[in-house]
Amino acid sequence: MMAADSKTERSERAEVSAVPLYQQVMDDLKGEIARGVYAAGSRIPSEMELAKSYGVGRITVRRAIEELSRAGYLSRQQGRGTFVCAPKLKRKIRQKGDVQSFTEGCAANDMVPGARLVSRTVVAATHEDAAFFGVEPGCELIVVERVRTADGVPVMLENNAFVLADHPYLQTLADKDFADNSIFALVAEHSGRAPLKSDPCTVEIALADAQVAPLLEVPVGEPLFYMEAYFTDADERPLLLGRQKIVGSRYVFDI
């Protein structure tokens, strides 16, 4: 931790550093969480204790805690204190190279991947989707919607669209076949095709609506990443179109 210092020393430090005091406290706390000084689920010291330890005012500490809570590192519980959240999931997203599945991302972070089927629907391809798949507008697509979890915590709502004629098995498989499975692996097993790259792949910010929020166990209005990716296989044939809504406080993109 930052050692307590005098008011004069803090003033001098603030003048020398362009980084605000609350940011310095925030970065230090984030580092201690990363190093395991404060383990997931543990309670951090009170605002008063932290203010004394860091040699700053309670308002500074409060701002740091608010920012870390907003970023998903801490959770404030009324009457109990402030607790460290479970570590964020990191998944390498490579837009121009190999594609890493959610399941592989979980494994790389020592987390247990999970999947729960929400729906399977057959829809008519829009002009935009048809252009990607190389089919006529109105062609039947099958959309598989699932909630993906890491260590049991909902992380994303995934919607993956395929040309039904190319992947009829997706309509006939039992619901249990979609549970706790990688969709990439499932498709590769039945079709012999696997996604090699996603181009284009875009990420925007969206807000959880009344339909999505309960599925991801977040409040309505929670900021989400909205990722849209067009996946092709080793022969550069269009394979699937993925549209994912990802809980920003539970996920990190390593690009």
Side-chain angles (χ1 to χ4, degrees):
M1 282 190 181
M2 295 162 52
D5 48 21
S6 69
K7 183 176 179 180
T8 302
E9 289 171 330
R10 292 198 305 272
S11 176
E12 289 174 351
R13 182 177 63 196
E15 288 176 4
V16 171
S17 175
V19 180
L21 279 177
Y22 83 87
Q23 180 74 53
Q24 295 178 41
V25 174
M26 191 173 107
D27 290 344
D28 194 74
L29 280 172
K30 194 189 297 184
E32 296 203 324
I33 291 171
R35 292 192 300 274
V37 176
Y38 300 122
S42 66
R43 185 175 68 84
I44 67 170
S46 68
E47 287 182 3
M48 186 177 295
E49 291 171 322
L50 288 172
K52 183 177 179 180
S53 176
Y54 284 113
V56 296
R58 288 186 64 179
I59 293 177
T60 297
V61 170
R62 186 173 300 128
R63 173 75 184 277
I65 290 174
E66 286 173 352
E67 294 292 336
L68 288 172
S69 299
R70 198 171 290 121
Y73 289 92
L74 298 174
S75 174
R76 307 183 83 163
Q77 299 181 20
Q78 188 68 33
R80 296 191 61 215
T82 302
F83 293 81
V84 178
C85 296
K88 289 184 176 184
L89 173 70
K90 287 187 177 181
R91 187 180 87 167
K92 184 174 287 186
I93 303 295
R94 302 189 63 176
Q95 298 182 20
K96 300 293 182 182
D98 19 326
V99 177
Q100 186 179 44
S101 72
F102 180 85
T103 298
E104 292 169 337
C106 283
N109 287 270
D110 297 321
M111 289 177 154
V112 179
R116 177 172 60 82
L117 182 65
V118 176
S119 65
R120 272 183 290 181
T121 55
V122 176
V123 302
T126 64
H127 282 79
E128 181 184 4
D129 293 353
F132 165 67
F133 284 114
V135 298
E136 292 295 319
C139 174
E140 289 187 326
L141 304 180
I142 183 165
V143 180
V144 180
E145 182 178 49
R146 303 190 303 169
V147 171
R148 301 306 314 268
T149 63
D151 287 348
V153 178
V155 173
M156 73 166 65
L157 179 65
E158 65 172 20
N159 284 266
N160 293 310
F162 304 81
V163 175
L164 180 58
D166 293 341
H167 305 276
Y169 55 89
L170 290 174
Q171 197 172 27
T172 57
L173 286 172
D175 288 359
K176 63 184 173 87
D177 293 318
F178 293 93
D180 304 332
N181 264 328
S182 163
I183 195 77
F184 290 174
L186 196 63
V187 169
E189 178 186 347
H190 287 82
S191 71
R193 300 172 62 192
L196 181 65
K197 67 177 181 178
S198 58
D199 188 13
C201 178
T202 59
V203 179
E204 304 175 47
I205 298 298
L207 300 179
D209 59 25
Q211 286 72 47
V212 172
L215 294 172
L216 293 176
E217 298 178 13
V218 297
V220 173
E222 175 85 2
L224 306 173
F225 291 122
Y226 173 69
M227 184 172 73
E228 189 167 274
Y230 296 75
F231 293 95
T232 53
D233 63 15
D235 297 321
E236 298 188 356
R237 293 170 56 203
L239 179 58
L240 72 107
L241 202 171
R243 295 184 172 102
Q244 330 299 358
K245 292 182 177 178
I246 306 163
V247 182
S249 62
R250 302 171 189 165
Y251 203 92
V252 173
F253 286 103
D254 182 8
I255 300 176

